[in-house]
Amino acid sequence: MPTKNPTKKTEMLGLADMNLETVNRLGDDLIIADHFDVKRVFPPYFRIAMPVCIFLKKGYLRGRCNLMDIDALAPCMSIILPDQILEFTESSDDLEGMVVLMSARFTERLNIKVDFELMQTFQSQRVIPLNDEAMTTMLQFCEMVKRLSQFPDHPYLMETAVNLTRAFFFGAGYFIHQRTETPTQSRSEQLVERFLKLVQVHCRHKRQIDYYAQELCLSAKYLAATVKSVTGKTAGDWIEDHVMLEAKAMLSNTNMTVSQISDHLHFPDTSTFGKYFRRHTRMSPKEFRKRQEN
């Protein structure tokens, strides 16, 4: 049965917030969707609360994750870690694949740390090409979980699912390291990556480049020049883009009022937030929200 999308209440959306059809589930902890309409499953500016694994068997999928481009061409896989804001903008008519979703409770039981090397690979490489052998292995994991879901009374259901999933992550790591080479980053590129990670975490309440320069033990002038040289965008532009991304995510997927969002983003008042938002989008926050609802 299709899953209905409930009234939006929280900033980060979980399993119950997705429109999923043709699913196999182990309670609310592990769900596999055989067929999916990207724009129905992942609404615009969707901040995920759990890891999402996408296996693309056919077609292509384009969008952005935390302002970074996603350009997925089958066969490939993409693992998006929690607290990322997704915006899928385009998909082919022949798109075919599977989506695997895991609850926070389930991922905690996996006991795989975020700073683990494999997790870092998933975080830095949004899309991972797969050969036929690797894709077959990934889909076999999905099939095993689907078969397991047919036995809800199995006394060791979750223990089996946890071990299968841990095996999947380690198996995926083998194919990833066989198929991909992590390009060597220059010191400037490493610095920009650290800067952008800090912006993602702190942009709600810190919008001055001096703060980030201090956190990185650099002068603001040097940081600004490095960011501009590496990315072609100013540090200020990156900060503003992330603030706008946060605002759009809350306007699109929560019931927070414009005033509450303004406070959450540490604007001095709603009027200032409205002017800031209009300067970037040429519409008011309320107009943007209404457009997303249509």
Side-chain angles (χ1 to χ4, degrees):
M1 293 290 291
T3 302
K4 294 183 178 180
N5 199 13
T7 303
K8 296 174 288 188
K9 294 182 179 179
T10 59
E11 184 183 350
M12 291 213 305
L13 305 186
L15 300 176
D17 301 289
M18 298 182 178
N19 288 299
L20 291 169
E21 299 180 10
T22 319
V23 300
N24 295 85
R25 62 169 65 227
L26 301 181
D28 291 325
D29 289 308
L30 184 59
I31 293 178
I32 293 181
D34 283 296
H35 306 286
F36 60 97
D37 180 327
V38 171
K39 291 184 178 180
R40 289 187 70 247
V41 175
F42 304 106
Y45 307 106
F46 180 93
R47 184 195 297 277
I48 60 172
M50 80 297 286
V52 175
C53 309
I54 301 175
F55 301 103
L56 209 59
K57 296 189 288 184
K58 190 177 181 181
Y60 67 85
L61 179 62
R62 296 192 179 101
R64 297 199 301 176
C65 177
N66 277 11
L67 300 177
M68 299 300 176
D69 288 339
I70 294 177
D71 193 353
L73 178 64
C76 66
M77 69 181 294
S78 180
I79 296 184
I80 312 296
L81 298 181
D83 202 23
Q84 310 288 298
I85 299 177
L86 301 179
E87 180 190 7
F88 288 117
T89 56
E90 183 182 357
S91 59
S92 61
D93 293 336
D94 63 343
L95 185 70
E96 184 178 342
M98 289 188 177
V99 177
V100 180
L101 307 118
M102 308 171 200
S103 70
R105 178 175 58 185
F106 185 81
T107 55
E108 286 176 4
R109 294 186 64 178
L110 295 178
N111 196 29
I112 298 178
K113 296 181 180 179
V114 173
D115 60 355
F116 177 53
E117 182 181 357
L118 185 56
M119 294 294 100
Q120 292 290 350
T121 300
F122 292 146
Q123 196 164 31
S124 62
Q125 297 178 234
R126 305 292 186 191
V127 178
I128 301 162
L130 298 175
N131 58 23
D132 291 341
E133 180 185 11
M135 178 58 79
T136 297
T137 300
M138 301 299 110
L139 296 180
Q140 283 175 344
F141 158 73
C142 295
E143 292 299 327
M144 284 189 288
V145 173
K146 286 166 61 178
R147 286 197 294 271
L148 188 61
S149 71
Q150 304 304 311
F151 302 95
D153 297 329
H154 192 301
Y156 303 108
L157 182 69
M158 295 314 300
E159 288 82 356
T160 304
V162 165
N163 285 314
L164 277 175
T165 306
R166 294 191 82 244
F168 155 71
F169 275 113
F170 287 106
Y174 168 78
F175 288 109
I176 290 166
H177 293 308
Q178 290 290 315
R179 294 282 295 172
T180 63
E181 294 182 3
T182 303
T184 302
Q185 288 185 315
S186 66
R187 292 184 64 181
S188 294
E189 289 170 333
Q190 292 174 0
L191 171 59
V192 170
E193 184 175 326
R194 290 168 59 200
F195 164 71
L196 292 177
K197 287 180 179 178
L198 283 173
V199 172
Q200 179 185 336
V201 174
H202 300 292
C203 68
R204 296 182 183 187
H205 58 281
K206 298 293 184 181
R207 288 193 276 277
Q208 300 299 320
I209 189 173
D210 289 347
Y211 169 81
Y212 298 98
Q214 184 175 353
E215 288 294 302
L216 294 167
C217 302
L218 301 168
S219 71
K221 183 177 180 180
Y222 179 80
L223 176 60
T226 303
V227 172
K228 177 67 173 178
S229 174
V230 171
T231 70
K233 290 172 58 174
T234 68
D237 285 342
W238 278 111
I239 295 168
E240 290 190 353
D241 285 349
H242 273 279
V243 173
M244 286 301 301
L245 186 64
E246 296 285 341
K248 290 176 179 178
M250 286 183 277
L251 286 166
S252 299
N253 297 301
T254 78
N255 280 337
M256 295 172 69
T257 66
V258 173
S259 177
Q260 288 171 330
I261 293 172
S262 173
D263 290 342
H264 197 64
L265 293 173
H266 290 81
F267 282 89
D269 51 60
T270 304
S271 176
T272 303
F273 171 60
K275 291 176 181 177
Y276 185 96
F277 194 91
R278 185 180 287 277
R279 177 161 61 88
H280 287 84
T281 65
R282 298 184 179 180
M283 67 182 79
S284 70
K286 289 184 178 180
E287 289 170 338
F288 176 84
R289 171 170 275 171
K290 186 174 182 180
R291 179 173 295 187
Q292 296 304 305
E293 291 173 348
N294 292 337

